[in-house]
Amino acid sequence: GKSDKVKIVLDWTPNTNHTGLYAALDQGYYKDAGLDVEIIQPNESGADTMVASGKVPFGISGQDGLTQARTQNVPVVSIAAIIQHNTSGFAAPASKNIKTPKDYEGKTYGGFGSPFENSVLQAMMEDAKADYSKLKSVSVGDADYFTAIKKDIDFEWIFYAWTGIEAELRKEPLDMLYLKDFNEKLDYYTPVLITNETMIKDNPDTVKAFVAATAKGYKYAIDHPAEAAEILIKAVPDINKDLVRASQKWLSPQYQADAPRWGEQKKTVWDNYANWLTEHKLLEKPLDSDKAFTNQFLPES
Amino acid sequence: MISSKWFKAAWPPIMVVFLLLVVWQLAVVIFNIELWILPDPISIIQEGIHNFRSLWMHTVATIKLTLIGFAIGIVIGVGVAWLLHLIPGFKKGFYPILVLTQNIPMIALAPLLMIWFGFGVLPKIIVISIVVFFPIAVALMDGFLQTDQVMLNYMKMIGATRLQIFRKLELPHALPSFFSGLKISATYAVSGAMISEWLSSDKGIGYYMKQQKAGFKTDRVFDSIFIIVLLSIILFYSIVILESIVIRWKSRSHKWN
Amino acid sequence: MISSKWFKAAWPPIMVVFLLLVVWQLAVVIFNIELWILPDPISIIQEGIHNFRSLWMHTVATIKLTLIGFAIGIVIGVGVAWLLHLIPGFKKGFYPILVLTQNIPMIALAPLLMIWFGFGVLPKIIVISIVVFFPIAVALMDGFLQTDQVMLNYMKMIGATRLQIFRKLELPHALPSFFSGLKISATYAVSGAMISEWLSSDKGIGYYMKQQKAGFKTDRVFDSIFIIVLLSIILFYSIVILESIVIRWKSRSHKWN
Amino acid sequence: MELKQISQTFMENGKIDTVLKDISLHVEKGEFVSIIGPSGCGKSTLFHIIGGLVAPSHGEVWIDGKEVTGQKGLISYMPQTHALFPWRTIEENVILAQEVAGIPAKQSIAQAREWLAKVGLAGYEKAYPHVLSGGMQQRAAFLRALLSPQEFMCLDEPFAALDALTRMDMQRWLLSIWEQNKRSVLFVTHSIEEALFLSDRIYLLSDKPTTIIQEIEVPFPRPRREEVLSEPMFQTLKQKIYATMKRVHV
Amino acid sequence: MELKQISQTFMENGKIDTVLKDISLHVEKGEFVSIIGPSGCGKSTLFHIIGGLVAPSHGEVWIDGKEVTGQKGLISYMPQTHALFPWRTIEENVILAQEVAGIPAKQSIAQAREWLAKVGLAGYEKAYPHVLSGGMQQRAAFLRALLSPQEFMCLDEPFAALDALTRMDMQRWLLSIWEQNKRSVLFVTHSIEEALFLSDRIYLLSDKPTTIIQEIEVPFPRPRREEVLSEPMFQTLKQKIYATMKRVHV
Ligand SMILES: Nc1ncnc2c1ncn2[C@@H]1O[C@H](COP(=O)(O)OP(=O)(O)OP(=O)(O)O)[C@@H](O)[C@H]1O
Ligand SMILES: Nc1ncnc2c1ncn2[C@@H]1O[C@H](COP(=O)(O)OP(=O)(O)OP(=O)(O)O)[C@@H](O)[C@H]1O
Ligand SMILES: [Mg+2]
Ligand SMILES: [Mg+2]
């Protein structure tokens, strides 16, 4: 039959966060739903603007970015949480023996240039009664964790499912301090599946079909980690295969985790994070979280 | 005969590059630098050979993109230089616009280009052309201005039209400047293609490199760099050879005795 | 007198830019383009004024970085051109290395620079210098080769040393080419500073822009772009003015009657 | 061709430098007129004015009964410095003026080759100007002017770089061509003999500020042959002109 | 200065072009020697060989009893085309050779200004070459050679672009300077009169392939004044040289 052409733009180069999309594509879930899906690589500026402008109906983003975007009236909406909990955190080589925020004193943090990272660190250290002024923070731009820690840098903010697993593969043990463990308000959704308000208003059926098929893809990745990894590798042949396999094994159980169904988002998570930002003067306007996300397109489990 | 001449011209740079690679290889071995920080040339080349098919596919994509963008950039560069030189007042008015085109950061331009021109090949070619046309236009305009006054007077007096003066005097006189600009542009053309591949692409060396970087495959990142540098150097020396074919009348001997 | 002359030279570009801004403003209003896609000039300027102190601080940082890097890049460019021109064989051997320096993508170079030079100001200056030196070196070397044969013969016959020929003949003869290269470089210097600010920075317009981009403050992103373009144009026209001061002997009238 | 009260001043280091002052002269159709004057008096400038390159500070240029001040392309011109294009071979240089006038290259190249042989440049058709000697370059530039299609020729010291014999050849040869075609010629030279041998009339110019100090009709009949050079009248005229020039020379 | 059996060939369009063939000549200390020869015979090339710019295909250059073939900087030189630097003012151009020789600018500039006035270029010290007439440029280039510190002067048609009177001034003036300082001079000219008036000896060159066809001792005593020009002997010599040249002229 006739199928709708839809595009989805990623947030980064393809990785295990995206396995469900590739699985849905490979297993024909999209086709079954009458969708002809094309996965598009992002550019430097990420997916939000492109989705908001209507050039692409769907994209991958994060709750942190989306919160900022919403308060600037950018009409993007989160329609599914790809991973239930925030798997990012601060990592340091085990040899440096940095285990608690207190240990950050006198150390050097290598940032990637986000507006919040220093505030997060400050909050963490002040909570642990450590002296934030004793932390040195430099932006390391494009340098990755492994490069940065070779020179002057003591710890970085990483996603465990990717960089952390690579460290395991390299047998370079690291100490990880997850954001979610430090403060539950920082257990925000990252990444999330997004669309724009026009789509929701004009093509709710397409959105519903897309989310349903995507959910099936992630379900497949949850149930068949090994096969899902191979699907991703097949779709993106130049990818780091060992890393994908190991990462997939670690990440598959994390997609749904303790949630009743894959993709479920809780208002408290959205409000908590926005409140935390507001407390730390990082948000100019309050967030209307009801407009920022919706569970309405998720399939009944 | 010819091959020996080419060989004589080619061996000094090849020697230098070869020496550089040897030093690099030794440095990596001696200082025991880990592979994912700075891989050694041998590993890089091995990985490149191992991964040849995929690399080749991406390289071809980049070459195509580069050549199209370069060609269009040259046309635009010559055209802009010509218009700004020929039409009185244009140069004064539009020079700042030229400068401006070189200074809009990609990070800001990229989303706009995609919104306006979609995901096809068009926005990418636009990016390369923007990078390429500028040095050509600037060098050419300066070249036009350096036209010999006595020859110019002669052409005017015998009644040459503005266009004849341009074609028969200013253009050939500015050829060395043009090639100067062309050489600078050629160097940037491949980098321009890299940048343009950031605008959503699923092939090309720029894409490949980004992906390998994300996968912490430093040796493959360096494979891409090798290819980029190689392409640029080939493009650059094509221009140099073209220059030596086109500008035959130069009497200047490069030797110093 | 002087001010009226400057005014006469300045108004055409100012008019063109002004017209451009007006068209942009109208387009945004007429097509009802949303602020976060493409803000209108008035909003951009308002936001800039509102945010002046912070912008100013970052601008000063970028200016400092740019000027230092530009100066060092010029010195290197002239030095490289000089060495490669003067020492026989050097040019053949090292030209590809020059091309190479322009083609190592920042994404690969940045981490290496950081490992080697830390997070201070040094790697940033290196990045700017790499961007700046190349067009100057290429244009200058080509300029040297265009030296008038009759004058060169004269200098040789009266026994001028290689250095005297360089200083008294080749260098002044290549000045127009040098300025040509300088203009191209000046245009890239500010962009070079932007790029370098991606490598570890906590101030500068590049840093500011990235932050605002992350916060979806498109108007502020455009404030940064305005400043970048403004800085580049100021730098560029400083070179143009310098050129007109240094090259006084040119008889070529730019008028066409 | 007629110049009506031409004056020309230049600004030099803030001082006003009057070069030409009220110069009126004329060249009839088919007439050969020479100009003799001290170095720097403004002869080349006069040609620039006639050619429309420089707008005179005052005065008018008339050709064929029309005012053409500032109009270009009406003369065939040989500048004082050869102005050969270094990227063109000698034959390509010689046909340049014809090319500009729109004459197809094929026929003009054939003609150029023929003439190159006549001025002693056979074998250099495909050489670039920089391998030619000063005198050879001058001959090529002369040929370029000669082959230009315009009726009115302005030659600025065309034979200055030639030895006496080659010069004589060229003069004799120019004369024979001119006697056949009767183009109007305005000719700048420093050689009084050359002027007397070639022209119908001679204008003598003074030093700056330049005026016409004398206009001399040359009485020798046409066609002229080398023999006139040894006529007593020739020597007398030569002496007279020399004396006049000496009188005003400072 | 002595040239020993100099030969020079060029490759032109694949053909071998023999320009100089076994030229031997000498200039004694303090001697003024002229060279006369047809256009394109190789006079400028000879200067290039003496100046060390071109390595002769065969033969040697000796100066002061030493072989100096290919050695540069031993002569003061005036090229056939002026070779003034467009970015230097006239006075800066004039002192160029002194600058190259390491003489401080302060003293040479003062000297240059003095001399510029003498060649009729007062008021143009700070002008750029392009505003000068052809003859004025030539005079500036001549001055540059004259003020060079080297003993041995090579002048390539220094007065070709000058009118008869200015030329006479320059000749007279060169003569008086030379008679005071007695520098060795090798002088290329196309004017037989000029050669006779100025030199001690004259070499006559043939057409290509160039050989020396005659060497003429000029018998007039020093110091020479303009009067020699009207001596019968002067005319006789002039006729003789002209006749010799004509004999070999094709
Ligand atoms: N562009 C200019 N600016 C200022 N002065 C100029 C310019 N062109 C010519 N002159 C002056 O005009 C005068 C005449 O110059 P011109 O070249 O016409 O002389 P000429 O008669 O051709 O001399 P010559 O016989 O030496 O060639 C000179 O004094 C020169 O300095
Ligand atoms: N670089 C060169 N390559 C080839 N041939 C050359 C070169 N330089 C000079 N010639 C040839 O050498 C010959 C002599 O040239 P040269 O300039 O020495 O003549 P000249 O005696 O000075 O003539 P003129 O009196 O016309 O100045 C000419 O035929 C010229 O074509
Ligand atoms: Mg003149
Ligand atoms: Mg000569």
Side-chain angles (χ1 to χ4, degrees), chain B residues 65-91:
Chain B
L65 197 61
T66 307
L67 289 185
I68 296 174
F70 191 47
I72 295 177
I74 292 172
V75 171
I76 295 176
V78 174
V80 163
W82 189 65
L83 280 180
L84 264 60
H85 179 67
L86 239 65
I87 303 180
F90 259 45
K91 186 161 168 187

Side-chain angles (χ1 to χ4, degrees), chain E residues 10 159 193 208 229 240:
Chain E
F10 287 110
F159 306 137
E193 280 188 49
K208 277 189 299 181
L229 293 174
K240 225 181 85 186

Side-chain angles (χ1 to χ4, degrees), chain E:
Chain E
M1 203 286 308
E2 202 177 347
L3 298 185
K4 294 189 179 167
Q5 297 176 304
I6 296 284
S7 294
Q8 180 66 37
T9 55
F10 287 110
M11 280 288 285
E12 193 39 47
N13 284 335
K15 288 172 301 178
I16 287 171
D17 186 10
T18 305
V19 175
L20 299 173
K21 197 176 155 190
D22 207 13
I23 301 276
S24 296
L25 58 76
H26 62 103
V27 180
E28 299 305 320
K29 255 217 144 58
E31 204 182 15
F32 197 121
V33 176
S34 291
I35 295 179
I36 298 184
S39 173
C41 77
K43 305 177 293 296
S44 301
T45 305
L46 206 60
F47 276 12
H48 288 167
I49 291 172
I50 296 171
L53 184 70
V54 171
S57 312
H58 184 259
E60 292 171 0
V61 182
W62 289 67
I63 291 183
D64 282 339
K66 282 192 289 281
E67 210 220 297
V68 294
T69 322
Q71 212 167 305
K72 301 184 190 78
L74 301 172
I75 61 170
S76 110
Y77 174 58
M78 172 173 174
Q80 188 168 8
T81 42
H82 58 74
L84 298 174
F85 290 15
W87 53 87
R88 286 179 162 238
T89 60
I90 293 302
E91 61 183 21
E92 285 166 0
N93 262 295
V94 166
I95 65 163
L96 177 63
Q98 285 158 289
E99 218 178 281
V100 165
I103 296 166
K106 217 169 154 182
Q107 99 192 43
S108 47
I109 277 274
Q111 194 192 13
R113 285 191 192 147
E114 222 171 90
W115 288 80
L116 277 168
K118 291 188 194 163
V119 296
L121 291 178
Y124 290 93
E125 295 88 354
K126 301 225 179 299
Y128 287 100
H130 70 92
V131 306
L132 265 59
S133 82
M136 291 155 85
Q137 291 171 341
Q138 209 170 38
R139 280 177 272 165
F142 171 61
L143 213 51
R144 184 175 59 182
L146 196 69
L147 298 184
S148 293
Q150 293 88 344
E151 264 301 305
F152 183 51
M153 270 211 293
C154 290
L155 306 175
D156 199 349
E157 301 190 41
F159 306 137
L162 299 182
D163 63 291
L165 289 160
T166 313
R167 190 168 188 151
M168 199 65 219
D169 287 350
M170 291 292 121
Q171 288 171 3
R172 219 184 294 126
W173 184 69
L174 170 60
L175 208 54
S176 73
I177 296 162
W178 177 79
E179 279 166 357
Q180 278 165 40
N181 312 330
K182 289 278 182 191
R183 288 164 82 178
S184 320
V185 179
L186 192 58
F187 192 94
V188 167
T189 180
H190 285 315
S191 159
I192 303 174
E193 280 188 49
E194 188 169 84
L196 280 171
F197 179 52
L198 294 173
S199 5
D200 296 315
R201 268 183 310 121
I202 299 172
Y203 287 102
L204 285 190
L205 301 188
S206 73
D207 218 331
K208 277 189 299 181
T210 306
T211 52
I212 294 176
I213 45 173
Q214 201 171 14
E215 184 186 336
I216 298 144
E217 290 278 346
V218 182
F220 310 112
R222 306 274 186 185
R224 256 177 231 167
R225 290 295 161 261
E226 226 172 314
E227 289 78 58
V228 290
L229 293 174
S230 40
E231 277 185 36
M233 179 66 174
F234 192 93
Q235 292 303 326
T236 324
L237 266 176
K238 187 176 152 188
Q239 294 302 334
K240 225 181 85 186
I241 293 174
Y242 191 75
T244 316
M245 286 182 65
K246 205 159 181 176
R247 221 178 46 233
V248 298
H249 184 65
V250 275

Side-chain angles (χ1 to χ4, degrees), chain A:
Chain A
K2 194 170 57 122
S3 53
D4 273 351
K5 274 195 184 306
V6 291
K7 293 182 175 129
I8 174 162
V9 56
L10 304 182
D11 57 340
W12 206 50
T13 50
N15 58 66
T16 44
N17 282 352
H18 310 134
T19 312
L21 300 172
Y22 286 97
L25 204 57
D26 184 76
Q27 297 293 310
Y29 301 153
Y30 288 132
K31 212 161 134 214
D32 297 343
L35 297 171
D36 179 6
V37 170
E38 185 188 348
I39 299 174
I40 288 178
Q41 304 286 323
N43 61 56
E44 283 296 288
S45 58
D48 306 84
T49 319
M50 279 155 64
V51 172
S53 72
K55 267 283 154 184
V56 206
F58 302 104
I60 309 284
S61 183
Q63 184 184 337
D64 45 349
L66 215 69
T67 303
Q68 297 291 328
R70 288 297 315 182
T71 54
Q72 298 300 326
N73 304 321
V74 183
V76 280
V77 180
S78 168
I79 46 178
I82 289 176
I83 303 173
Q84 267 300 316
H85 295 281
N86 187 344
T87 58
S88 74
F90 295 97
S95 57
K96 298 206 187 211
N97 215 20
I98 300 173
K99 299 203 185 307
T100 68
K102 185 88 186 148
D103 297 330
Y104 293 164
E105 282 184 358
K107 295 293 193 297
T108 305
Y109 167 68
F112 54 90
S114 126
F116 323 120
E117 49 189 343
N118 289 323
S119 302
V120 171
L121 274 169
Q122 185 172 5
M124 282 175 82
M125 289 181 73
E126 279 167 1
D127 253 33
K129 306 263 175 316
D131 185 356
Y132 172 67
S133 66
K134 287 196 184 138
L135 174 74
K136 195 168 157 225
S137 169
V138 297
S139 160
V140 297
D142 279 326
D144 61 50
Y145 167 82
F146 300 100
T147 310
I149 55 163
K150 293 291 179 239
K151 175 91 182 181
D152 304 346
I153 302 296
D154 296 307
F155 64 108
E156 268 208 358
W157 188 342
I158 66 164
F159 282 86
Y160 194 82
W162 197 250
T163 312
I165 299 296
E166 173 71 12
E168 282 182 13
L169 291 177
R170 289 186 184 186
K171 307 213 168 24
E172 285 195 33
L174 48 72
D175 285 319
M176 184 81 182
L177 230 131
Y178 287 102
L179 288 187
K180 66 174 196 279
D181 296 345
F182 153 70
N183 183 341
E184 67 158 3
K185 288 180 174 177
L186 293 177
D187 187 12
Y188 54 82
Y189 298 119
T190 176
V192 295
L193 195 63
I194 62 171
T195 188
N196 57 51
E197 289 178 353
T198 322
M199 278 300 287
I200 292 178
K201 200 154 105 256
D202 298 347
N203 295 307
D205 296 340
T206 309
V207 179
K208 195 156 187 93
F210 181 78
V211 175
T214 306
K216 266 174 99 177
Y218 276 98
K219 196 94 192 100
Y220 179 87
I222 293 166
D223 296 340
H224 310 92
E227 290 86 340
E230 296 311 320
I231 289 173
L232 179 59
I233 289 168
K234 198 176 86 200
V236 191
D238 295 319
I239 209 162
N240 186 340
K241 300 183 177 73
D242 300 335
L243 178 54
V244 166
R245 291 184 186 117
S247 171
Q248 196 60 57
K249 205 163 134 206
W250 188 87
L251 195 56
S252 276
Q254 309 281 341
Y255 288 138
Q256 188 175 342
D258 50 2
R261 56 179 172 177
W262 175 86
E264 181 84 28
Q265 303 176 75
K266 292 200 244 11
K267 184 170 161 62
T268 48
V269 172
W270 281 88
D271 286 336
N272 277 344
Y273 180 59
N275 290 341
W276 187 88
L277 288 176
T278 312
E279 278 164 33
H280 292 85
K281 299 198 171 50
L282 294 169
L283 208 57
E284 281 184 4
K285 293 174 230 160
L287 174 78
D288 183 354
S289 56
D290 290 328
K291 286 189 173 160
F293 80 96
T294 173
N295 286 324
Q296 74 181 94
F297 299 107
L298 289 174
E300 311 301 326
S301 53

